[in-house]
Short mmCIF file of all heavy atoms in Angstrom, two decimals:
data_model
loop_
_atom_site.label_atom_id
_atom_site.label_comp_id
_atom_site.label_asym_id
_atom_site.label_seq_id
_atom_site.Cartn_x
_atom_site.Cartn_y
_atom_site.Cartn_z
N LEU A 1 -3.73 0.11 6.20
CA LEU A 1 -3.23 -0.08 4.82
C LEU A 1 -2.15 0.95 4.46
O LEU A 1 -1.94 1.26 3.28
CB LEU A 1 -4.37 0.00 3.80
CG LEU A 1 -5.44 -1.08 3.88
CD1 LEU A 1 -6.41 -0.94 2.70
CD2 LEU A 1 -4.84 -2.48 3.91
N GLY A 2 -1.46 1.48 5.46
CA GLY A 2 -0.41 2.45 5.15
C GLY A 2 -0.95 3.82 4.80
O GLY A 2 -0.26 4.62 4.16
N LYS A 3 -2.19 4.11 5.21
CA LYS A 3 -2.80 5.43 5.04
C LYS A 3 -2.78 5.93 3.59
O LYS A 3 -2.13 6.94 3.27
CB LYS A 3 -2.14 6.45 5.98
CG LYS A 3 -2.30 6.08 7.46
CD LYS A 3 -2.10 7.25 8.37
CE LYS A 3 -2.59 6.93 9.78
NZ LYS A 3 -2.54 8.08 10.68
N PRO A 4 -3.48 5.23 2.71
CA PRO A 4 -3.51 5.66 1.30
C PRO A 4 -4.20 7.00 1.13
O PRO A 4 -5.04 7.40 1.96
CB PRO A 4 -4.32 4.54 0.63
CG PRO A 4 -5.18 3.98 1.72
CD PRO A 4 -4.33 4.06 2.96
N PRO A 5 -3.89 7.72 0.05
CA PRO A 5 -4.45 9.06 -0.17
C PRO A 5 -5.87 9.02 -0.75
O PRO A 5 -6.11 9.43 -1.88
CB PRO A 5 -3.46 9.69 -1.15
CG PRO A 5 -2.96 8.52 -1.95
CD PRO A 5 -2.90 7.36 -0.99
N VAL A 6 -6.80 8.53 0.04
CA VAL A 6 -8.17 8.32 -0.44
C VAL A 6 -8.80 9.64 -0.88
O VAL A 6 -9.49 9.69 -1.91
CB VAL A 6 -9.03 7.65 0.64
CG1 VAL A 6 -10.46 7.42 0.12
CG2 VAL A 6 -8.42 6.32 1.09
N ALA A 7 -8.59 10.70 -0.13
CA ALA A 7 -9.24 11.97 -0.45
C ALA A 7 -8.85 12.49 -1.82
O ALA A 7 -9.66 13.13 -2.51
CB ALA A 7 -8.91 13.02 0.63
N SER A 8 -7.63 12.20 -2.25
CA SER A 8 -7.17 12.67 -3.55
C SER A 8 -7.59 11.75 -4.69
O SER A 8 -7.54 12.13 -5.86
CB SER A 8 -5.65 12.82 -3.56
OG SER A 8 -5.03 11.54 -3.53
N GLY A 9 -7.95 10.50 -4.34
CA GLY A 9 -8.33 9.55 -5.37
C GLY A 9 -7.18 8.93 -6.12
O GLY A 9 -7.40 8.18 -7.08
N THR A 10 -5.95 9.20 -5.72
CA THR A 10 -4.79 8.64 -6.42
C THR A 10 -4.35 7.34 -5.75
O THR A 10 -4.55 7.13 -4.55
CB THR A 10 -3.62 9.63 -6.41
OG1 THR A 10 -3.29 9.96 -5.05
CG2 THR A 10 -3.99 10.90 -7.17
N LEU A 11 -3.73 6.47 -6.55
CA LEU A 11 -3.26 5.19 -6.04
C LEU A 11 -1.74 5.12 -5.88
O LEU A 11 -1.23 4.49 -4.95
CB LEU A 11 -3.71 4.05 -6.96
CG LEU A 11 -5.21 3.71 -6.96
CD1 LEU A 11 -5.52 2.69 -8.04
CD2 LEU A 11 -5.63 3.19 -5.60
N GLU A 12 -1.03 5.74 -6.79
CA GLU A 12 0.43 5.67 -6.75
C GLU A 12 1.05 6.90 -6.09
O GLU A 12 0.49 7.99 -6.18
CB GLU A 12 0.97 5.51 -8.18
CG GLU A 12 0.59 4.21 -8.85
CD GLU A 12 1.19 2.99 -8.18
OE1 GLU A 12 2.11 3.12 -7.33
OE2 GLU A 12 0.74 1.88 -8.48
N PRO A 13 2.19 6.72 -5.41
CA PRO A 13 3.00 5.49 -5.31
C PRO A 13 2.58 4.55 -4.18
O PRO A 13 3.26 3.55 -3.95
CB PRO A 13 4.40 6.04 -5.06
CG PRO A 13 4.14 7.30 -4.27
CD PRO A 13 2.87 7.89 -4.83
N TRP A 14 1.48 4.88 -3.49
CA TRP A 14 1.05 4.03 -2.37
C TRP A 14 0.87 2.58 -2.79
O TRP A 14 1.36 1.66 -2.11
CB TRP A 14 -0.26 4.57 -1.79
CG TRP A 14 -0.96 3.58 -0.92
CD1 TRP A 14 -0.69 3.31 0.40
CD2 TRP A 14 -2.01 2.67 -1.30
NE1 TRP A 14 -1.51 2.30 0.85
CE2 TRP A 14 -2.32 1.90 -0.17
CE3 TRP A 14 -2.71 2.45 -2.49
CZ2 TRP A 14 -3.32 0.91 -0.20
CZ3 TRP A 14 -3.69 1.47 -2.53
CH2 TRP A 14 -4.00 0.71 -1.39
N ALA A 15 0.18 2.34 -3.91
CA ALA A 15 -0.14 0.97 -4.30
C ALA A 15 1.12 0.14 -4.54
O ALA A 15 1.21 -1.02 -4.13
CB ALA A 15 -1.03 0.96 -5.53
N SER A 16 2.10 0.73 -5.20
CA SER A 16 3.34 0.00 -5.46
C SER A 16 4.06 -0.34 -4.17
O SER A 16 4.60 -1.45 -4.00
CB SER A 16 4.26 0.82 -6.37
OG SER A 16 3.68 0.98 -7.65
N GLY A 17 4.06 0.60 -3.23
CA GLY A 17 4.69 0.34 -1.94
C GLY A 17 3.98 -0.75 -1.17
O GLY A 17 4.62 -1.61 -0.55
N LEU A 18 2.66 -0.71 -1.19
CA LEU A 18 1.88 -1.73 -0.50
C LEU A 18 2.14 -3.11 -1.10
O LEU A 18 2.34 -4.10 -0.38
CB LEU A 18 0.39 -1.40 -0.58
CG LEU A 18 -0.50 -2.41 0.15
CD1 LEU A 18 -0.84 -1.89 1.54
CD2 LEU A 18 -1.77 -2.71 -0.61
N CYS A 19 2.14 -3.20 -2.41
CA CYS A 19 2.34 -4.48 -3.08
C CYS A 19 3.74 -5.04 -2.82
O CYS A 19 3.91 -6.26 -2.65
CB CYS A 19 2.09 -4.36 -4.57
SG CYS A 19 0.35 -4.07 -5.00
N ALA A 20 4.73 -4.16 -2.76
CA ALA A 20 6.09 -4.61 -2.44
C ALA A 20 6.15 -5.19 -1.03
O ALA A 20 6.83 -6.19 -0.79
CB ALA A 20 7.06 -3.45 -2.60
N LEU A 21 5.45 -4.57 -0.10
CA LEU A 21 5.41 -5.08 1.27
C LEU A 21 4.68 -6.42 1.31
O LEU A 21 5.12 -7.37 1.96
CB LEU A 21 4.73 -4.08 2.20
CG LEU A 21 4.75 -4.42 3.69
CD1 LEU A 21 6.19 -4.39 4.24
CD2 LEU A 21 3.86 -3.47 4.48
N ALA A 22 3.55 -6.50 0.61
CA ALA A 22 2.74 -7.72 0.62
C ALA A 22 3.47 -8.89 -0.02
O ALA A 22 3.14 -10.05 0.25
CB ALA A 22 1.43 -7.47 -0.10
N ALA A 23 4.46 -8.61 -0.86
CA ALA A 23 5.21 -9.69 -1.50
C ALA A 23 6.05 -10.48 -0.50
O ALA A 23 6.49 -11.59 -0.81
CB ALA A 23 6.11 -9.12 -2.60
N LEU A 24 6.26 -9.93 0.69
CA LEU A 24 7.03 -10.61 1.72
C LEU A 24 6.08 -11.43 2.59
O LEU A 24 5.04 -10.93 3.03
CB LEU A 24 7.77 -9.59 2.59
CG LEU A 24 8.79 -8.73 1.83
CD1 LEU A 24 9.28 -7.59 2.70
CD2 LEU A 24 9.95 -9.59 1.35
N PRO A 25 6.41 -12.69 2.87
CA PRO A 25 5.46 -13.58 3.56
C PRO A 25 5.23 -13.23 5.02
O PRO A 25 4.24 -13.69 5.60
CB PRO A 25 6.11 -14.95 3.42
CG PRO A 25 7.58 -14.67 3.25
CD PRO A 25 7.64 -13.39 2.46
N ASN A 26 6.10 -12.44 5.62
CA ASN A 26 5.96 -12.10 7.04
C ASN A 26 5.23 -10.78 7.24
O ASN A 26 5.45 -10.08 8.24
CB ASN A 26 7.34 -12.04 7.72
CG ASN A 26 8.29 -11.04 7.08
OD1 ASN A 26 8.32 -10.89 5.86
ND2 ASN A 26 9.09 -10.36 7.90
N THR A 27 4.33 -10.43 6.32
CA THR A 27 3.57 -9.19 6.44
C THR A 27 2.07 -9.47 6.33
O THR A 27 1.65 -10.35 5.58
CB THR A 27 3.96 -8.18 5.35
OG1 THR A 27 3.64 -8.71 4.05
CG2 THR A 27 5.45 -7.86 5.42
N VAL A 28 1.30 -8.71 7.08
CA VAL A 28 -0.16 -8.72 7.00
C VAL A 28 -0.62 -7.27 7.11
O VAL A 28 0.18 -6.37 7.36
CB VAL A 28 -0.79 -9.58 8.12
CG1 VAL A 28 -0.38 -11.03 7.99
CG2 VAL A 28 -0.42 -9.06 9.50
N ALA A 29 -1.91 -7.03 6.92
CA ALA A 29 -2.41 -5.65 6.94
C ALA A 29 -3.81 -5.58 7.52
O ALA A 29 -4.55 -6.57 7.54
CB ALA A 29 -2.39 -5.06 5.53
#
């Protein structure tokens, strides 16, 4: 999942980056 910062408990900017990637049909995770 693009190595989100789980230890810190924060979502951004990881979440926005992930969602932008997922918006493209040729991507999976």
Side-chain angles (χ1 to χ4, degrees):
L1 297 186
K3 299 200 166 186
V6 181
S8 71
T10 57
L11 289 173
E12 294 295 347
W14 164 82
S16 294
L18 182 97
C19 291
L21 186 66
L24 299 170
N26 58 321
T27 63
V28 297

